[in-house]
Short mmCIF file of all heavy atoms in Angstrom, two decimals:
data_model
loop_
_atom_site.label_atom_id
_atom_site.label_comp_id
_atom_site.label_asym_id
_atom_site.label_seq_id
_atom_site.Cartn_x
_atom_site.Cartn_y
_atom_site.Cartn_z
N LYS A 1 -114.53 164.59 -45.62
CA LYS A 1 -114.78 163.17 -45.95
C LYS A 1 -114.16 162.30 -44.89
O LYS A 1 -113.18 162.71 -44.26
CB LYS A 1 -114.20 162.86 -47.33
CG LYS A 1 -114.63 163.78 -48.46
CD LYS A 1 -113.88 163.44 -49.72
CE LYS A 1 -114.30 164.33 -50.87
NZ LYS A 1 -113.54 164.03 -52.12
N PRO A 2 -114.66 161.09 -44.74
CA PRO A 2 -114.04 160.17 -43.74
C PRO A 2 -112.54 159.99 -44.03
O PRO A 2 -111.78 159.83 -43.08
CB PRO A 2 -114.83 158.88 -43.95
CG PRO A 2 -116.18 159.33 -44.39
CD PRO A 2 -115.91 160.53 -45.26
N GLU A 3 -112.13 160.02 -45.27
CA GLU A 3 -110.70 159.84 -45.57
C GLU A 3 -109.86 161.03 -45.18
O GLU A 3 -108.62 160.95 -45.25
CB GLU A 3 -110.50 159.51 -47.06
CG GLU A 3 -111.18 160.49 -48.01
CD GLU A 3 -112.53 159.97 -48.51
OE1 GLU A 3 -113.32 159.44 -47.64
OE2 GLU A 3 -112.81 160.10 -49.71
N ASP A 4 -110.46 162.12 -44.72
CA ASP A 4 -109.70 163.25 -44.19
C ASP A 4 -109.33 163.03 -42.70
O ASP A 4 -108.58 163.83 -42.13
CB ASP A 4 -110.52 164.53 -44.30
CG ASP A 4 -110.77 164.97 -45.73
OD1 ASP A 4 -109.84 164.86 -46.52
OD2 ASP A 4 -111.91 165.39 -46.01
N THR A 5 -109.80 161.96 -42.12
CA THR A 5 -109.50 161.65 -40.74
C THR A 5 -107.99 161.42 -40.55
O THR A 5 -107.39 160.61 -41.27
CB THR A 5 -110.30 160.40 -40.28
OG1 THR A 5 -111.68 160.73 -40.28
CG2 THR A 5 -109.86 160.00 -38.87
N ALA A 6 -107.40 162.17 -39.64
CA ALA A 6 -105.96 162.06 -39.41
C ALA A 6 -105.60 163.04 -38.27
O ALA A 6 -106.42 163.85 -37.83
CB ALA A 6 -105.19 162.47 -40.67
N VAL A 7 -104.36 162.94 -37.85
CA VAL A 7 -103.78 163.98 -37.02
C VAL A 7 -103.17 165.00 -37.96
O VAL A 7 -102.42 164.66 -38.88
CB VAL A 7 -102.68 163.43 -36.08
CG1 VAL A 7 -102.04 164.58 -35.28
CG2 VAL A 7 -103.29 162.37 -35.12
N TYR A 8 -103.55 166.29 -37.78
CA TYR A 8 -103.08 167.37 -38.59
C TYR A 8 -101.97 168.13 -37.87
O TYR A 8 -102.12 168.51 -36.72
CB TYR A 8 -104.25 168.30 -38.94
CG TYR A 8 -105.12 167.72 -40.03
CD1 TYR A 8 -105.96 166.63 -39.74
CD2 TYR A 8 -105.14 168.24 -41.29
CE1 TYR A 8 -106.77 166.08 -40.72
CE2 TYR A 8 -105.95 167.72 -42.29
CZ TYR A 8 -106.77 166.62 -42.01
OH TYR A 8 -107.55 166.11 -42.99
N TYR A 9 -100.89 168.33 -38.62
CA TYR A 9 -99.71 169.02 -38.07
C TYR A 9 -99.45 170.31 -38.81
O TYR A 9 -99.51 170.36 -40.04
CB TYR A 9 -98.50 168.11 -38.18
CG TYR A 9 -98.55 166.84 -37.37
CD1 TYR A 9 -99.06 165.68 -37.90
CD2 TYR A 9 -98.08 166.81 -36.05
CE1 TYR A 9 -99.13 164.51 -37.18
CE2 TYR A 9 -98.13 165.64 -35.30
CZ TYR A 9 -98.64 164.52 -35.88
OH TYR A 9 -98.70 163.36 -35.13
N CYS A 10 -99.07 171.29 -38.08
CA CYS A 10 -98.63 172.56 -38.62
C CYS A 10 -97.10 172.56 -38.65
O CYS A 10 -96.46 171.98 -37.76
CB CYS A 10 -99.13 173.68 -37.70
SG CYS A 10 -98.48 175.30 -38.00
N ALA A 11 -96.54 173.16 -39.68
CA ALA A 11 -95.09 173.17 -39.82
C ALA A 11 -94.65 174.53 -40.34
O ALA A 11 -95.38 175.22 -41.04
CB ALA A 11 -94.61 172.11 -40.80
N SER A 12 -93.45 174.93 -39.96
CA SER A 12 -92.89 176.21 -40.35
C SER A 12 -91.48 176.06 -40.86
O SER A 12 -90.68 175.29 -40.31
CB SER A 12 -92.91 177.17 -39.19
OG SER A 12 -92.25 178.40 -39.55
N ARG A 13 -91.16 176.77 -41.92
CA ARG A 13 -89.79 176.95 -42.35
C ARG A 13 -89.44 178.40 -42.12
O ARG A 13 -90.11 179.28 -42.67
CB ARG A 13 -89.56 176.58 -43.83
CG ARG A 13 -88.11 176.71 -44.26
CD ARG A 13 -87.87 176.30 -45.66
NE ARG A 13 -86.54 176.61 -46.11
CZ ARG A 13 -85.55 175.74 -46.13
NH1 ARG A 13 -85.74 174.49 -45.70
NH2 ARG A 13 -84.36 176.07 -46.49
N THR A 14 -88.45 178.63 -41.30
CA THR A 14 -88.22 180.00 -40.83
C THR A 14 -87.11 180.71 -41.63
O THR A 14 -86.82 181.85 -41.38
CB THR A 14 -87.81 180.01 -39.36
OG1 THR A 14 -86.71 179.16 -39.16
CG2 THR A 14 -88.98 179.57 -38.50
N TYR A 15 -86.52 180.05 -42.63
CA TYR A 15 -85.51 180.75 -43.42
C TYR A 15 -85.74 180.44 -44.89
O TYR A 15 -86.33 179.42 -45.26
CB TYR A 15 -84.08 180.32 -42.97
CG TYR A 15 -83.86 178.84 -42.99
CD1 TYR A 15 -83.27 178.20 -44.08
CD2 TYR A 15 -84.22 178.06 -41.88
CE1 TYR A 15 -83.06 176.81 -44.05
CE2 TYR A 15 -84.02 176.69 -41.88
CZ TYR A 15 -83.43 176.08 -42.94
OH TYR A 15 -83.22 174.73 -42.93
N SER A 16 -85.27 181.33 -45.75
CA SER A 16 -85.57 181.23 -47.16
C SER A 16 -84.82 180.06 -47.80
O SER A 16 -83.86 179.51 -47.25
CB SER A 16 -85.25 182.53 -47.86
OG SER A 16 -83.88 182.80 -47.76
N SER A 17 -85.28 179.72 -48.97
CA SER A 17 -84.67 178.58 -49.68
C SER A 17 -84.64 178.89 -51.17
O SER A 17 -85.54 179.56 -51.69
CB SER A 17 -85.52 177.32 -49.42
OG SER A 17 -85.13 176.27 -50.26
N SER A 18 -83.65 178.41 -51.84
CA SER A 18 -83.58 178.61 -53.30
C SER A 18 -84.63 177.77 -54.01
O SER A 18 -85.04 178.07 -55.12
CB SER A 18 -82.20 178.27 -53.82
OG SER A 18 -81.86 176.94 -53.51
N SER A 19 -85.10 176.73 -53.33
CA SER A 19 -86.14 175.88 -53.91
C SER A 19 -87.28 175.76 -52.90
O SER A 19 -87.03 175.73 -51.71
CB SER A 19 -85.56 174.50 -54.26
OG SER A 19 -84.54 174.58 -55.21
N PHE A 20 -88.46 175.65 -53.41
CA PHE A 20 -89.64 175.65 -52.57
C PHE A 20 -90.20 174.25 -52.47
O PHE A 20 -91.16 173.87 -53.16
CB PHE A 20 -90.65 176.65 -53.14
CG PHE A 20 -91.70 177.09 -52.15
CD1 PHE A 20 -91.33 177.71 -50.96
CD2 PHE A 20 -93.02 176.87 -52.37
CE1 PHE A 20 -92.25 178.13 -50.04
CE2 PHE A 20 -93.98 177.29 -51.45
CZ PHE A 20 -93.60 177.92 -50.29
N TYR A 21 -89.58 173.46 -51.57
CA TYR A 21 -89.98 172.06 -51.42
C TYR A 21 -91.12 171.94 -50.39
O TYR A 21 -91.00 171.21 -49.39
CB TYR A 21 -88.78 171.23 -51.00
CG TYR A 21 -87.70 171.13 -52.05
CD1 TYR A 21 -86.44 171.66 -51.81
CD2 TYR A 21 -87.93 170.53 -53.30
CE1 TYR A 21 -85.44 171.58 -52.79
CE2 TYR A 21 -86.98 170.43 -54.23
CZ TYR A 21 -85.71 170.97 -53.97
OH TYR A 21 -84.71 170.91 -54.92
N TYR A 22 -92.19 172.60 -50.66
CA TYR A 22 -93.26 172.77 -49.62
C TYR A 22 -93.97 171.43 -49.35
O TYR A 22 -94.69 171.31 -48.36
CB TYR A 22 -94.26 173.81 -50.05
CG TYR A 22 -94.86 173.57 -51.41
CD1 TYR A 22 -96.05 172.83 -51.53
CD2 TYR A 22 -94.29 174.08 -52.52
CE1 TYR A 22 -96.62 172.63 -52.75
CE2 TYR A 22 -94.87 173.89 -53.77
CZ TYR A 22 -96.02 173.16 -53.88
OH TYR A 22 -96.58 172.91 -55.12
N THR A 23 -93.83 170.45 -50.16
CA THR A 23 -94.49 169.16 -49.90
C THR A 23 -93.62 168.20 -49.09
O THR A 23 -94.09 167.11 -48.72
CB THR A 23 -94.87 168.48 -51.21
OG1 THR A 23 -93.68 168.13 -51.91
CG2 THR A 23 -95.75 169.34 -52.06
N VAL A 24 -92.41 168.57 -48.84
CA VAL A 24 -91.43 167.67 -48.21
C VAL A 24 -91.35 167.92 -46.69
O VAL A 24 -91.09 169.06 -46.26
CB VAL A 24 -90.02 167.85 -48.81
CG1 VAL A 24 -89.01 166.94 -48.16
CG2 VAL A 24 -90.08 167.59 -50.32
N VAL A 25 -91.56 166.85 -45.92
CA VAL A 25 -91.57 166.98 -44.47
C VAL A 25 -90.28 167.59 -43.94
O VAL A 25 -90.27 168.51 -43.11
CB VAL A 25 -91.81 165.61 -43.81
CG1 VAL A 25 -91.56 165.66 -42.32
CG2 VAL A 25 -93.25 165.15 -44.09
N SER A 26 -89.15 167.13 -44.44
CA SER A 26 -87.83 167.56 -43.91
C SER A 26 -87.46 169.00 -44.28
O SER A 26 -86.50 169.52 -43.77
CB SER A 26 -86.74 166.61 -44.37
OG SER A 26 -86.68 166.59 -45.80
N TRP A 27 -88.24 169.64 -45.19
CA TRP A 27 -87.96 171.00 -45.60
C TRP A 27 -88.31 171.98 -44.50
O TRP A 27 -87.79 173.09 -44.44
CB TRP A 27 -88.71 171.30 -46.87
CG TRP A 27 -88.39 172.60 -47.55
CD1 TRP A 27 -87.26 172.90 -48.24
CD2 TRP A 27 -89.23 173.73 -47.63
NE1 TRP A 27 -87.35 174.16 -48.74
CE2 TRP A 27 -88.56 174.72 -48.38
CE3 TRP A 27 -90.52 174.04 -47.11
CZ2 TRP A 27 -89.11 175.98 -48.65
CZ3 TRP A 27 -91.06 175.30 -47.40
CH2 TRP A 27 -90.35 176.24 -48.15
N TYR A 28 -89.22 171.56 -43.61
CA TYR A 28 -89.67 172.45 -42.54
C TYR A 28 -88.81 172.21 -41.29
O TYR A 28 -88.39 171.10 -41.02
CB TYR A 28 -91.15 172.17 -42.23
CG TYR A 28 -92.06 172.47 -43.37
CD1 TYR A 28 -92.29 171.56 -44.37
CD2 TYR A 28 -92.70 173.72 -43.49
CE1 TYR A 28 -93.13 171.83 -45.45
CE2 TYR A 28 -93.54 174.02 -44.53
CZ TYR A 28 -93.75 173.06 -45.54
OH TYR A 28 -94.58 173.35 -46.58
N ASN A 29 -88.55 173.28 -40.54
CA ASN A 29 -87.69 173.10 -39.36
C ASN A 29 -88.39 173.21 -38.01
O ASN A 29 -87.74 173.00 -36.99
CB ASN A 29 -86.46 174.09 -39.44
CG ASN A 29 -86.91 175.56 -39.60
OD1 ASN A 29 -87.84 175.88 -40.32
ND2 ASN A 29 -86.15 176.42 -38.95
N TYR A 30 -89.68 173.54 -38.01
CA TYR A 30 -90.42 173.50 -36.75
C TYR A 30 -91.78 172.83 -37.03
O TYR A 30 -92.37 173.03 -38.10
CB TYR A 30 -90.65 174.89 -36.20
CG TYR A 30 -89.39 175.53 -35.64
CD1 TYR A 30 -88.69 176.47 -36.38
CD2 TYR A 30 -88.91 175.18 -34.39
CE1 TYR A 30 -87.52 177.05 -35.89
CE2 TYR A 30 -87.75 175.72 -33.90
CZ TYR A 30 -87.05 176.68 -34.64
OH TYR A 30 -85.91 177.24 -34.16
#
């Protein structure tokens, strides 16, 4: 859809976490 227009970024968290904050930008480290 036109509203999908954006810059798309890939992110990785390379170490485990007790909580899975997968929607949070700062949770990812690369």
Side-chain angles (χ1 to χ4, degrees):
K1 306 175 181 179
E3 51 264 43
D4 294 319
T5 295
V7 177
Y8 283 71
Y9 296 90
C10 170
S12 174
R13 181 177 173 97
T14 56
Y15 54 96
S16 63
S17 169
S18 59
S19 300
F20 199 60
Y21 295 117
Y22 56 89
T23 65
V24 179
V25 168
S26 60
W27 189 72
Y28 297 85
N29 55 321
Y30 289 101

